Amino acid sequence: MRIGILGAGNMADALGTQWSRAGHEVMVSGRDQMRLAALADRMTAAAGGSPVLHGTWAEAAEFGDVVMAAVLAEGLTEVLTAAGPALRGKPLIDVTNQLPGFDVTRPISRLAADLTGAHVVKAFNLAHVDVWRMTPPVFDGRPLAVPLCGDDPDALSRVRTLVTDLGCTPVDGGGLDRAVLLEATAVFVIGLWFGGADAQAILTPREFAGG
Ligand SMILES: NC(=O)c1ccc[n+]([C@@H]2O[C@H](COP(=O)([O-])OP(=O)(O)OC[C@H]3O[C@@H](n4cnc5c(N)ncnc54)[C@H](OP(=O)(O)O)[C@@H]3O)[C@@H](O)[C@H]2O)c1
């Protein structure tokens, strides 16, 4: 797959490097072309595959069969607008969390879908970037499960493949209307972790889930 990444930060680096290593063609994009060139070189060296490309927001949106938005929430509207009409009808992975300032009445994924006309899939927002650098992310012998929320079958199928390429297990999280629950879960769980709690321990094994 060709994967256009809107962003040149930690998430772009971690996930883009993994997908390049898995044999996908990757283009990162951002505001500073000098820093982008250095990032693309680093990612190419780390992945050891075909060169990671870099370009403008619009070039990455055009390039991708799948596009991933990996910028801070405060820049998302500006970036998606600059990415332009190429996003319409494309799979768009949204990894955004809003900490602080999350507003349950204004889901980020819905905003991204309304703004772009893309087939948005919310994913990868529940684990820290260091987890996305692991090869593979396996804990106590269990691969990390990655919930996906989206409406378009083709977009979901592509993102499932990208999850599997990381060595993770995709989990159907329902339609895009449920993406806000993933956004809220991230805010809640990160709050627990920062408070010193073991957030993983709040959920029981499935057999204790009331039948
Ligand atoms: N880090 C994590 O553990 C983690 C985990 C799950 C989800 N997420 C989410 O993933 C997204 C990216 O996180 P990250 O860790 O990759 O962040 P990061 O390393 O700080 O990188 C942020 C990226 O957003 C760009 N950006 C920031 N403000 C912008 C603005 N106003 N306009 C345009 N671009 C802007 C930055 O561009 P410049 O380089 O030009 O500044 C950079 O490319 C965030 O929404 C975050 O909530 C992060």
Side-chain angles (χ1 to χ4, degrees):
M1 261 183 257
R2 288 175 151 222
I3 305 168
I5 300 182
L6 307 175
N10 290 306
M11 289 290 279
D13 180 8
L15 288 167
T17 300
Q18 296 274 33
W19 289 327
S20 176
R21 194 175 285 136
H24 300 291
E25 293 177 67
V26 173
M27 179 187 283
V28 289
S29 60
R31 300 184 279 197
D32 179 340
Q33 291 299 320
M34 292 275 279
R35 274 183 44 213
L36 274 174
L39 172 68
D41 285 350
R42 271 204 319 278
M43 291 171 72
T44 302
S50 58
V52 171
L53 308 173
H54 62 93
T56 64
W57 307 117
E59 284 167 343
E62 185 69 44
F63 175 83
D65 304 316
V66 174
V67 178
M68 175 170 75
V71 297
L72 300 187
E74 55 264 37
L76 188 64
T77 300
E78 190 187 325
V79 169
L80 293 178
T81 304
L87 290 177
R88 179 160 293 280
K90 271 196 188 176
L92 175 66
I93 302 169
D94 166 31
V95 306
T96 317
N97 285 324
Q98 183 139 33
L99 306 161
F102 173 66
D103 179 352
V104 75
T105 67
R106 303 188 66 236
I108 301 165
S109 281
R110 176 57 61 194
L111 179 151
D114 290 348
L115 197 63
T116 60
H119 297 308
V120 175
V121 177
K122 188 93 197 181
F124 305 111
N125 68 317
L126 293 186
H128 188 266
V129 65
D130 290 346
V131 172
W132 302 126
R133 294 187 198 277
M134 292 172 68
T135 52
V138 172
F139 301 95
D140 296 329
R142 281 197 312 177
L144 180 68
V146 180
L148 311 182
C149 291
D151 292 333
D152 183 74
D154 174 64
L156 285 165
S157 164
R158 286 175 181 275
V159 182
R160 265 187 225 110
T161 299
L162 295 176
V163 169
T164 307
D165 286 339
L166 301 174
C168 298
T169 306
V171 174
D172 179 6
L176 195 64
D177 58 341
R178 294 179 69 82
V180 66
L181 301 179
L182 272 186
E183 294 171 7
T185 301
V187 175
F188 185 67
V189 165
I190 291 167
L192 292 180
W193 279 322
F194 270 73
D198 176 3
Q200 194 183 22
I202 67 174
L203 297 180
T204 62
R206 187 162 175 243
E207 58 269 29
F208 293 90

